[in-house]
Amino acid sequence: MANALYAKGKEKLLSAGINLTSATVKVALVKNTYPQNLATDEFYTSISAYVLGTPQTLTGKSVTAGVFDAGDPTYTAVTAGDTSEGVVIYIDTGGGAGTNPLLAYIDTITGFPLATNGGDITIQWDNGAYKIFSL
């Protein structure tokens, strides 16, 4: 699978339901067993069983010319024994997992898929023209 936006997440972005620069944007490291469905997966509850470690809040967010970027998140001491195929970006609304909309599935990350070994994992976003994602 290639990087893509969730259908319902696109609707929220394009209808001004989400402001990426002011919202609490988080990124979850997901197992390779996550059966993503970009057309129907809508909230964090769709991915919660496949999350590795603790989702990280993105800092240093920016939106320029339709391109979303942020600082590189680090997951500390991710439990050994799993394989991660990518990350899911979502909005933490503060209202619980069933209200946190999914935005993007990213799997074209240097070093992925990767086997967890109990160490830290840093996601290095693309430094090219598209950064995290572009509309």
Short mmCIF file of all heavy atoms in Angstrom, two decimals, residues 36-111:
data_model
loop_
_atom_site.label_atom_id
_atom_site.label_comp_id
_atom_site.label_asym_id
_atom_site.label_seq_id
_atom_site.Cartn_x
_atom_site.Cartn_y
_atom_site.Cartn_z
N GLN A 36 -5.87 -2.07 6.88
CA GLN A 36 -6.42 -0.74 6.60
C GLN A 36 -7.46 -0.75 5.49
O GLN A 36 -7.31 -1.45 4.50
CB GLN A 36 -5.32 0.28 6.30
CG GLN A 36 -4.57 0.09 5.01
CD GLN A 36 -3.43 -0.88 5.12
OE1 GLN A 36 -3.24 -1.53 6.13
NE2 GLN A 36 -2.65 -1.01 4.07
N ASN A 37 -8.49 0.05 5.73
CA ASN A 37 -9.52 0.24 4.73
C ASN A 37 -9.74 1.75 4.64
O ASN A 37 -10.45 2.33 5.45
CB ASN A 37 -10.82 -0.48 5.09
CG ASN A 37 -11.83 -0.40 3.97
OD1 ASN A 37 -11.91 0.59 3.25
ND2 ASN A 37 -12.61 -1.45 3.83
N LEU A 38 -9.09 2.36 3.67
CA LEU A 38 -9.11 3.82 3.54
C LEU A 38 -10.50 4.36 3.24
O LEU A 38 -10.79 5.51 3.54
CB LEU A 38 -8.12 4.26 2.47
CG LEU A 38 -6.66 3.91 2.78
CD1 LEU A 38 -5.80 4.14 1.55
CD2 LEU A 38 -6.14 4.69 3.96
N ALA A 39 -11.36 3.53 2.70
CA ALA A 39 -12.71 3.98 2.36
C ALA A 39 -13.64 4.00 3.57
O ALA A 39 -14.53 4.84 3.64
CB ALA A 39 -13.30 3.08 1.28
N THR A 40 -13.42 3.09 4.53
CA THR A 40 -14.38 2.99 5.64
C THR A 40 -13.80 3.25 7.02
O THR A 40 -14.56 3.61 7.93
CB THR A 40 -15.05 1.60 5.65
OG1 THR A 40 -14.04 0.60 5.82
CG2 THR A 40 -15.82 1.35 4.36
N ASP A 41 -12.52 3.06 7.24
CA ASP A 41 -11.94 3.35 8.57
C ASP A 41 -12.07 4.84 8.81
O ASP A 41 -11.66 5.65 7.97
CB ASP A 41 -10.47 2.93 8.64
CG ASP A 41 -10.28 1.42 8.67
OD1 ASP A 41 -11.28 0.69 8.79
OD2 ASP A 41 -9.12 0.98 8.56
N GLU A 42 -12.65 5.22 9.96
CA GLU A 42 -12.89 6.64 10.20
C GLU A 42 -12.30 7.14 11.50
O GLU A 42 -11.80 8.27 11.55
CB GLU A 42 -14.39 6.92 10.18
CG GLU A 42 -14.72 8.39 10.34
CD GLU A 42 -16.20 8.71 10.18
OE1 GLU A 42 -17.02 7.78 10.02
OE2 GLU A 42 -16.53 9.91 10.20
N PHE A 43 -12.36 6.34 12.57
CA PHE A 43 -11.91 6.80 13.87
C PHE A 43 -10.81 5.91 14.44
O PHE A 43 -10.60 4.80 13.98
CB PHE A 43 -13.10 6.87 14.84
CG PHE A 43 -14.16 7.84 14.42
CD1 PHE A 43 -15.37 7.40 13.93
CD2 PHE A 43 -13.94 9.21 14.50
CE1 PHE A 43 -16.36 8.30 13.53
CE2 PHE A 43 -14.90 10.13 14.10
CZ PHE A 43 -16.12 9.66 13.61
N TYR A 44 -10.14 6.42 15.47
CA TYR A 44 -9.03 5.72 16.12
C TYR A 44 -9.43 4.30 16.54
O TYR A 44 -8.60 3.40 16.55
CB TYR A 44 -8.53 6.54 17.31
CG TYR A 44 -7.32 5.94 17.99
CD1 TYR A 44 -6.05 6.15 17.48
CD2 TYR A 44 -7.46 5.16 19.13
CE1 TYR A 44 -4.93 5.60 18.10
CE2 TYR A 44 -6.36 4.61 19.75
CZ TYR A 44 -5.09 4.83 19.23
OH TYR A 44 -3.99 4.28 19.83
N THR A 45 -10.69 4.09 16.87
CA THR A 45 -11.13 2.75 17.27
C THR A 45 -10.87 1.71 16.18
O THR A 45 -10.72 0.53 16.48
CB THR A 45 -12.63 2.75 17.63
OG1 THR A 45 -13.36 3.40 16.58
CG2 THR A 45 -12.88 3.47 18.94
N SER A 46 -10.77 2.15 14.91
CA SER A 46 -10.48 1.22 13.80
C SER A 46 -9.05 0.70 13.83
O SER A 46 -8.76 -0.34 13.25
CB SER A 46 -10.71 1.91 12.46
OG SER A 46 -12.04 2.31 12.31
N ILE A 47 -8.14 1.45 14.48
CA ILE A 47 -6.73 1.06 14.49
C ILE A 47 -6.20 0.67 15.86
O ILE A 47 -5.11 0.13 15.97
CB ILE A 47 -5.83 2.18 13.91
CG1 ILE A 47 -5.80 3.40 14.84
CG2 ILE A 47 -6.25 2.55 12.51
CD1 ILE A 47 -4.69 4.38 14.54
N SER A 48 -6.95 0.94 16.92
CA SER A 48 -6.42 0.82 18.29
C SER A 48 -5.83 -0.56 18.60
O SER A 48 -4.83 -0.65 19.32
CB SER A 48 -7.48 1.19 19.32
OG SER A 48 -8.61 0.34 19.21
N ALA A 49 -6.38 -1.62 18.06
CA ALA A 49 -5.87 -2.97 18.33
C ALA A 49 -4.53 -3.23 17.64
O ALA A 49 -3.86 -4.21 17.95
CB ALA A 49 -6.89 -4.01 17.89
N TYR A 50 -4.12 -2.37 16.73
CA TYR A 50 -2.91 -2.57 15.93
C TYR A 50 -1.80 -1.57 16.26
O TYR A 50 -0.77 -1.56 15.61
CB TYR A 50 -3.25 -2.48 14.44
CG TYR A 50 -4.35 -3.42 14.05
CD1 TYR A 50 -5.67 -2.98 13.97
CD2 TYR A 50 -4.09 -4.77 13.81
CE1 TYR A 50 -6.69 -3.86 13.64
CE2 TYR A 50 -5.11 -5.64 13.50
CZ TYR A 50 -6.41 -5.18 13.42
OH TYR A 50 -7.41 -6.06 13.09
N VAL A 51 -2.02 -0.75 17.28
CA VAL A 51 -1.05 0.30 17.62
C VAL A 51 0.08 -0.25 18.47
O VAL A 51 -0.14 -1.01 19.42
CB VAL A 51 -1.76 1.47 18.34
CG1 VAL A 51 -0.77 2.48 18.89
CG2 VAL A 51 -2.74 2.14 17.39
N LEU A 52 1.30 0.14 18.12
CA LEU A 52 2.51 -0.22 18.88
C LEU A 52 2.98 1.00 19.66
O LEU A 52 3.01 2.11 19.11
CB LEU A 52 3.62 -0.65 17.92
CG LEU A 52 3.36 -1.91 17.12
CD1 LEU A 52 4.39 -2.05 16.00
CD2 LEU A 52 3.39 -3.12 18.03
N GLY A 53 3.34 0.81 20.90
CA GLY A 53 3.84 1.92 21.70
C GLY A 53 2.75 2.95 21.96
O GLY A 53 1.56 2.67 21.85
N THR A 54 3.18 4.15 22.30
CA THR A 54 2.26 5.25 22.62
C THR A 54 2.24 6.25 21.47
O THR A 54 3.31 6.74 21.07
CB THR A 54 2.72 5.97 23.91
OG1 THR A 54 2.77 5.01 24.97
CG2 THR A 54 1.78 7.10 24.27
N PRO A 55 1.05 6.56 20.93
CA PRO A 55 0.99 7.57 19.86
C PRO A 55 1.66 8.87 20.31
O PRO A 55 1.58 9.25 21.47
CB PRO A 55 -0.51 7.76 19.64
CG PRO A 55 -1.10 6.43 20.03
CD PRO A 55 -0.27 6.00 21.22
N GLN A 56 2.30 9.53 19.36
CA GLN A 56 3.04 10.75 19.64
C GLN A 56 2.31 11.97 19.08
O GLN A 56 1.73 11.90 17.99
CB GLN A 56 4.45 10.67 19.04
CG GLN A 56 5.29 9.54 19.58
CD GLN A 56 5.51 9.67 21.08
OE1 GLN A 56 6.06 10.67 21.54
NE2 GLN A 56 5.05 8.68 21.83
N THR A 57 2.36 13.07 19.82
CA THR A 57 1.78 14.33 19.36
C THR A 57 2.79 15.02 18.46
O THR A 57 3.96 15.17 18.82
CB THR A 57 1.44 15.23 20.56
OG1 THR A 57 0.50 14.54 21.40
CG2 THR A 57 0.83 16.55 20.10
N LEU A 58 2.33 15.44 17.29
CA LEU A 58 3.22 16.14 16.36
C LEU A 58 3.44 17.57 16.82
O LEU A 58 2.50 18.27 17.22
CB LEU A 58 2.65 16.13 14.95
CG LEU A 58 2.57 14.76 14.28
CD1 LEU A 58 1.99 14.88 12.87
CD2 LEU A 58 3.94 14.10 14.22
N THR A 59 4.69 18.01 16.76
CA THR A 59 5.06 19.37 17.12
C THR A 59 5.64 20.07 15.90
O THR A 59 6.01 19.42 14.92
CB THR A 59 6.10 19.38 18.26
OG1 THR A 59 7.26 18.66 17.81
CG2 THR A 59 5.55 18.72 19.52
N GLY A 60 5.73 21.38 15.97
CA GLY A 60 6.30 22.13 14.87
C GLY A 60 5.51 21.99 13.58
O GLY A 60 6.07 21.99 12.49
N LYS A 61 4.18 21.90 13.69
CA LYS A 61 3.33 21.68 12.52
C LYS A 61 3.29 22.92 11.63
O LYS A 61 3.31 24.05 12.11
CB LYS A 61 1.91 21.34 12.96
CG LYS A 61 1.79 20.09 13.80
CD LYS A 61 0.38 19.90 14.31
CE LYS A 61 0.07 21.05 15.26
NZ LYS A 61 -1.24 21.02 15.84
N SER A 62 3.20 22.67 10.32
CA SER A 62 3.04 23.76 9.38
C SER A 62 2.26 23.29 8.17
O SER A 62 2.27 22.11 7.83
CB SER A 62 4.40 24.30 8.93
OG SER A 62 5.09 23.34 8.16
N VAL A 63 1.56 24.23 7.56
CA VAL A 63 0.85 23.99 6.31
C VAL A 63 1.26 25.12 5.37
O VAL A 63 0.99 26.29 5.64
CB VAL A 63 -0.68 23.97 6.49
CG1 VAL A 63 -1.38 23.83 5.15
CG2 VAL A 63 -1.10 22.86 7.43
N THR A 64 1.94 24.76 4.30
CA THR A 64 2.41 25.75 3.33
C THR A 64 2.15 25.22 1.93
O THR A 64 2.58 24.12 1.60
CB THR A 64 3.93 26.01 3.52
OG1 THR A 64 4.18 26.38 4.87
CG2 THR A 64 4.42 27.09 2.59
N ALA A 65 1.45 26.00 1.13
CA ALA A 65 1.15 25.64 -0.26
C ALA A 65 0.50 24.26 -0.37
O ALA A 65 0.81 23.48 -1.27
CB ALA A 65 2.40 25.73 -1.12
N GLY A 66 -0.39 23.93 0.58
CA GLY A 66 -1.09 22.66 0.55
C GLY A 66 -0.29 21.47 1.04
O GLY A 66 -0.70 20.33 0.89
N VAL A 67 0.87 21.74 1.67
CA VAL A 67 1.75 20.67 2.16
C VAL A 67 1.78 20.71 3.68
O VAL A 67 2.04 21.75 4.29
CB VAL A 67 3.17 20.82 1.59
CG1 VAL A 67 4.09 19.76 2.14
CG2 VAL A 67 3.13 20.76 0.07
N PHE A 68 1.53 19.55 4.31
CA PHE A 68 1.56 19.43 5.77
C PHE A 68 2.90 18.86 6.21
O PHE A 68 3.38 17.87 5.66
CB PHE A 68 0.42 18.52 6.25
CG PHE A 68 0.42 18.28 7.73
CD1 PHE A 68 0.30 19.34 8.62
CD2 PHE A 68 0.52 17.01 8.24
CE1 PHE A 68 0.29 19.13 9.99
CE2 PHE A 68 0.49 16.77 9.61
CZ PHE A 68 0.39 17.84 10.49
N ASP A 69 3.51 19.49 7.21
CA ASP A 69 4.79 19.03 7.74
C ASP A 69 4.79 19.20 9.25
O ASP A 69 3.97 19.93 9.82
CB ASP A 69 5.95 19.82 7.13
CG ASP A 69 7.30 19.15 7.34
OD1 ASP A 69 7.34 17.95 7.68
OD2 ASP A 69 8.32 19.82 7.14
N ALA A 70 5.70 18.52 9.92
CA ALA A 70 5.86 18.60 11.37
C ALA A 70 7.22 18.01 11.73
O ALA A 70 7.90 17.43 10.88
CB ALA A 70 4.75 17.82 12.08
N GLY A 71 7.58 18.14 13.00
CA GLY A 71 8.82 17.54 13.48
C GLY A 71 8.74 16.02 13.45
O GLY A 71 7.66 15.44 13.41
N ASP A 72 9.91 15.38 13.45
CA ASP A 72 10.00 13.92 13.44
C ASP A 72 9.68 13.36 14.82
O ASP A 72 10.38 13.68 15.79
CB ASP A 72 11.39 13.48 13.02
CG ASP A 72 11.76 13.90 11.61
OD1 ASP A 72 10.84 14.22 10.82
OD2 ASP A 72 12.96 13.92 11.29
N PRO A 73 8.64 12.52 14.96
CA PRO A 73 8.29 11.96 16.27
C PRO A 73 9.18 10.77 16.64
O PRO A 73 9.66 10.04 15.76
CB PRO A 73 6.85 11.50 16.08
CG PRO A 73 6.78 11.15 14.63
CD PRO A 73 7.70 12.13 13.92
N THR A 74 9.40 10.58 17.94
CA THR A 74 10.16 9.43 18.45
C THR A 74 9.31 8.65 19.44
O THR A 74 8.73 9.22 20.37
CB THR A 74 11.46 9.89 19.14
OG1 THR A 74 12.27 10.56 18.16
CG2 THR A 74 12.22 8.72 19.72
N TYR A 75 9.25 7.36 19.24
CA TYR A 75 8.58 6.43 20.14
C TYR A 75 9.66 5.80 21.00
O TYR A 75 10.65 5.30 20.46
CB TYR A 75 7.85 5.33 19.36
CG TYR A 75 6.83 5.87 18.38
CD1 TYR A 75 7.23 6.30 17.12
CD2 TYR A 75 5.51 5.98 18.74
CE1 TYR A 75 6.31 6.81 16.23
CE2 TYR A 75 4.57 6.49 17.85
CZ TYR A 75 5.00 6.91 16.60
OH TYR A 75 4.09 7.44 15.72
N THR A 76 9.50 5.83 22.31
CA THR A 76 10.55 5.31 23.20
C THR A 76 10.22 3.88 23.65
O THR A 76 9.07 3.56 23.95
CB THR A 76 10.74 6.21 24.43
OG1 THR A 76 9.50 6.35 25.12
CG2 THR A 76 11.23 7.59 24.02
N ALA A 77 11.27 3.07 23.67
CA ALA A 77 11.21 1.70 24.19
C ALA A 77 9.99 0.93 23.68
O ALA A 77 9.20 0.40 24.47
CB ALA A 77 11.26 1.71 25.72
N VAL A 78 9.84 0.84 22.36
CA VAL A 78 8.73 0.10 21.77
C VAL A 78 8.96 -1.39 21.99
O VAL A 78 10.02 -1.92 21.66
CB VAL A 78 8.58 0.41 20.27
CG1 VAL A 78 7.45 -0.41 19.67
CG2 VAL A 78 8.35 1.90 20.05
N THR A 79 7.99 -2.06 22.58
CA THR A 79 8.10 -3.47 22.93
C THR A 79 8.59 -4.31 21.74
O THR A 79 8.11 -4.15 20.62
CB THR A 79 6.74 -4.00 23.41
OG1 THR A 79 6.30 -3.20 24.51
CG2 THR A 79 6.82 -5.45 23.84
N ALA A 80 9.53 -5.19 22.03
CA ALA A 80 10.10 -6.07 21.01
C ALA A 80 9.11 -7.13 20.58
O ALA A 80 8.20 -7.49 21.31
CB ALA A 80 11.37 -6.73 21.56
N GLY A 81 9.32 -7.65 19.35
CA GLY A 81 8.57 -8.81 18.90
C GLY A 81 7.47 -8.55 17.89
O GLY A 81 6.76 -9.48 17.51
N ASP A 82 7.32 -7.32 17.45
CA ASP A 82 6.31 -7.00 16.44
C ASP A 82 6.99 -6.42 15.21
O ASP A 82 8.16 -6.08 15.24
CB ASP A 82 5.29 -5.99 16.97
CG ASP A 82 4.28 -6.62 17.92
OD1 ASP A 82 3.59 -7.58 17.51
OD2 ASP A 82 4.18 -6.16 19.07
N THR A 83 6.22 -6.27 14.15
CA THR A 83 6.70 -5.60 12.95
C THR A 83 5.76 -4.45 12.65
O THR A 83 4.54 -4.63 12.66
CB THR A 83 6.74 -6.56 11.75
OG1 THR A 83 7.64 -7.64 12.06
CG2 THR A 83 7.22 -5.86 10.49
N SER A 84 6.32 -3.28 12.40
CA SER A 84 5.51 -2.13 12.02
C SER A 84 5.66 -1.90 10.52
O SER A 84 6.76 -1.96 9.98
CB SER A 84 5.94 -0.87 12.77
OG SER A 84 5.18 0.24 12.32
N GLU A 85 4.53 -1.61 9.88
CA GLU A 85 4.56 -1.34 8.45
C GLU A 85 4.40 0.14 8.14
O GLU A 85 4.61 0.56 7.01
CB GLU A 85 3.50 -2.12 7.71
CG GLU A 85 2.08 -1.67 8.02
CD GLU A 85 1.03 -2.47 7.26
OE1 GLU A 85 1.37 -3.45 6.59
OE2 GLU A 85 -0.14 -2.07 7.33
N GLY A 86 4.00 0.94 9.14
CA GLY A 86 3.79 2.35 8.89
C GLY A 86 3.15 3.06 10.06
O GLY A 86 3.16 2.54 11.19
N VAL A 87 2.61 4.24 9.78
CA VAL A 87 1.97 5.05 10.82
C VAL A 87 0.63 5.56 10.32
O VAL A 87 0.38 5.66 9.13
CB VAL A 87 2.86 6.24 11.24
CG1 VAL A 87 4.17 5.77 11.84
CG2 VAL A 87 3.11 7.19 10.07
N VAL A 88 -0.22 5.90 11.29
CA VAL A 88 -1.51 6.52 11.01
C VAL A 88 -1.53 7.87 11.71
O VAL A 88 -1.25 7.97 12.91
CB VAL A 88 -2.69 5.65 11.48
CG1 VAL A 88 -4.01 6.40 11.34
CG2 VAL A 88 -2.72 4.34 10.70
N ILE A 89 -1.87 8.91 10.96
CA ILE A 89 -2.00 10.25 11.52
C ILE A 89 -3.48 10.49 11.79
O ILE A 89 -4.34 10.19 10.95
CB ILE A 89 -1.45 11.30 10.53
CG1 ILE A 89 0.04 11.05 10.32
CG2 ILE A 89 -1.71 12.72 11.04
CD1 ILE A 89 0.65 11.86 9.21
N TYR A 90 -3.76 11.02 13.00
CA TYR A 90 -5.14 11.26 13.38
C TYR A 90 -5.23 12.51 14.26
O TYR A 90 -4.22 13.03 14.71
CB TYR A 90 -5.75 10.04 14.08
CG TYR A 90 -5.16 9.72 15.44
CD1 TYR A 90 -5.79 10.15 16.60
CD2 TYR A 90 -3.98 8.99 15.58
CE1 TYR A 90 -5.27 9.86 17.85
CE2 TYR A 90 -3.46 8.69 16.81
CZ TYR A 90 -4.11 9.13 17.95
OH TYR A 90 -3.58 8.85 19.19
N ILE A 91 -6.45 12.97 14.48
CA ILE A 91 -6.70 14.12 15.34
C ILE A 91 -7.19 13.62 16.68
O ILE A 91 -8.12 12.81 16.75
CB ILE A 91 -7.77 15.07 14.73
CG1 ILE A 91 -7.33 15.56 13.36
CG2 ILE A 91 -8.07 16.23 15.67
CD1 ILE A 91 -6.08 16.38 13.32
N ASP A 92 -6.57 14.09 17.76
CA ASP A 92 -7.03 13.78 19.11
C ASP A 92 -8.00 14.90 19.51
O ASP A 92 -7.59 16.02 19.79
CB ASP A 92 -5.86 13.71 20.08
CG ASP A 92 -6.28 13.28 21.48
OD1 ASP A 92 -7.48 13.33 21.80
OD2 ASP A 92 -5.38 12.89 22.25
N THR A 93 -9.29 14.58 19.51
CA THR A 93 -10.32 15.58 19.81
C THR A 93 -10.49 15.81 21.30
O THR A 93 -11.15 16.76 21.70
CB THR A 93 -11.68 15.14 19.24
OG1 THR A 93 -12.08 13.94 19.92
CG2 THR A 93 -11.61 14.92 17.75
N GLY A 94 -9.94 14.90 22.11
CA GLY A 94 -10.15 14.98 23.55
C GLY A 94 -11.44 14.31 23.99
O GLY A 94 -11.75 14.24 25.16
N GLY A 95 -12.19 13.79 23.02
CA GLY A 95 -13.48 13.18 23.31
C GLY A 95 -13.46 11.67 23.32
O GLY A 95 -14.50 11.04 23.39
N GLY A 96 -12.29 11.05 23.23
CA GLY A 96 -12.19 9.60 23.24
C GLY A 96 -11.93 9.02 21.87
O GLY A 96 -12.11 9.69 20.84
N ALA A 97 -11.48 7.78 21.86
CA ALA A 97 -11.03 7.11 20.63
C ALA A 97 -12.10 7.09 19.54
O ALA A 97 -11.79 7.19 18.36
CB ALA A 97 -10.59 5.68 20.95
N GLY A 98 -13.37 6.99 19.92
CA GLY A 98 -14.45 6.93 18.95
C GLY A 98 -14.76 8.25 18.28
O GLY A 98 -15.58 8.31 17.37
N THR A 99 -14.08 9.33 18.72
CA THR A 99 -14.29 10.64 18.10
C THR A 99 -13.03 11.18 17.45
O THR A 99 -13.03 12.29 16.92
CB THR A 99 -14.77 11.68 19.14
OG1 THR A 99 -13.73 11.93 20.08
CG2 THR A 99 -16.02 11.21 19.85
N ASN A 100 -11.94 10.41 17.47
CA ASN A 100 -10.65 10.85 16.92
C ASN A 100 -10.54 10.43 15.45
O ASN A 100 -10.27 9.27 15.15
CB ASN A 100 -9.49 10.25 17.71
CG ASN A 100 -9.44 10.76 19.14
OD1 ASN A 100 -9.99 11.80 19.46
ND2 ASN A 100 -8.77 10.01 19.99
N PRO A 101 -10.74 11.37 14.50
CA PRO A 101 -10.73 11.00 13.09
C PRO A 101 -9.35 10.67 12.54
O PRO A 101 -8.36 11.33 12.85
CB PRO A 101 -11.31 12.24 12.40
CG PRO A 101 -11.03 13.37 13.32
CD PRO A 101 -11.03 12.78 14.71
N LEU A 102 -9.31 9.64 11.70
CA LEU A 102 -8.10 9.24 11.00
C LEU A 102 -7.91 10.14 9.79
O LEU A 102 -8.86 10.44 9.08
CB LEU A 102 -8.19 7.78 10.55
CG LEU A 102 -8.52 6.75 11.61
CD1 LEU A 102 -8.64 5.36 10.99
CD2 LEU A 102 -7.50 6.77 12.73
N LEU A 103 -6.66 10.54 9.54
CA LEU A 103 -6.38 11.41 8.40
C LEU A 103 -5.55 10.71 7.32
O LEU A 103 -5.91 10.74 6.15
CB LEU A 103 -5.64 12.67 8.84
CG LEU A 103 -6.36 13.58 9.80
CD1 LEU A 103 -5.49 14.78 10.13
CD2 LEU A 103 -7.68 14.02 9.21
N ALA A 104 -4.42 10.13 7.71
CA ALA A 104 -3.50 9.61 6.70
C ALA A 104 -2.83 8.33 7.17
O ALA A 104 -2.56 8.15 8.36
CB ALA A 104 -2.42 10.65 6.40
N TYR A 105 -2.58 7.47 6.19
CA TYR A 105 -1.82 6.24 6.41
C TYR A 105 -0.51 6.42 5.63
O TYR A 105 -0.52 6.67 4.42
CB TYR A 105 -2.59 5.04 5.88
CG TYR A 105 -1.80 3.77 5.96
CD1 TYR A 105 -1.67 3.09 7.16
CD2 TYR A 105 -1.15 3.26 4.84
CE1 TYR A 105 -0.92 1.93 7.24
CE2 TYR A 105 -0.40 2.11 4.91
CZ TYR A 105 -0.29 1.45 6.11
OH TYR A 105 0.45 0.31 6.19
N ILE A 106 0.62 6.34 6.34
CA ILE A 106 1.93 6.56 5.73
C ILE A 106 2.77 5.29 5.91
O ILE A 106 3.01 4.86 7.04
CB ILE A 106 2.67 7.75 6.39
CG1 ILE A 106 1.78 8.99 6.50
CG2 ILE A 106 3.99 8.04 5.68
CD1 ILE A 106 1.46 9.69 5.22
N ASP A 107 3.22 4.72 4.79
CA ASP A 107 4.07 3.52 4.90
C ASP A 107 5.35 3.62 4.07
O ASP A 107 6.16 2.71 4.10
CB ASP A 107 3.30 2.26 4.56
CG ASP A 107 2.87 2.17 3.10
OD1 ASP A 107 3.03 3.16 2.36
OD2 ASP A 107 2.35 1.12 2.70
N THR A 108 5.53 4.70 3.36
CA THR A 108 6.78 4.87 2.62
C THR A 108 7.73 5.68 3.49
O THR A 108 7.96 6.86 3.27
CB THR A 108 6.58 5.53 1.24
OG1 THR A 108 5.90 6.77 1.43
CG2 THR A 108 5.78 4.64 0.32
N ILE A 109 8.24 5.01 4.51
CA ILE A 109 9.14 5.61 5.50
C ILE A 109 10.46 4.84 5.43
O ILE A 109 10.46 3.61 5.43
CB ILE A 109 8.55 5.50 6.92
CG1 ILE A 109 7.16 6.15 6.99
CG2 ILE A 109 9.49 6.11 7.96
CD1 ILE A 109 6.40 5.85 8.26
N THR A 110 11.56 5.55 5.40
CA THR A 110 12.86 4.90 5.36
C THR A 110 12.99 3.91 6.52
O THR A 110 12.72 4.25 7.67
CB THR A 110 13.99 5.96 5.44
OG1 THR A 110 13.85 6.84 4.32
CG2 THR A 110 15.36 5.30 5.40
N GLY A 111 13.38 2.69 6.19
CA GLY A 111 13.58 1.65 7.21
C GLY A 111 12.35 0.81 7.51
O GLY A 111 12.42 -0.09 8.34
#
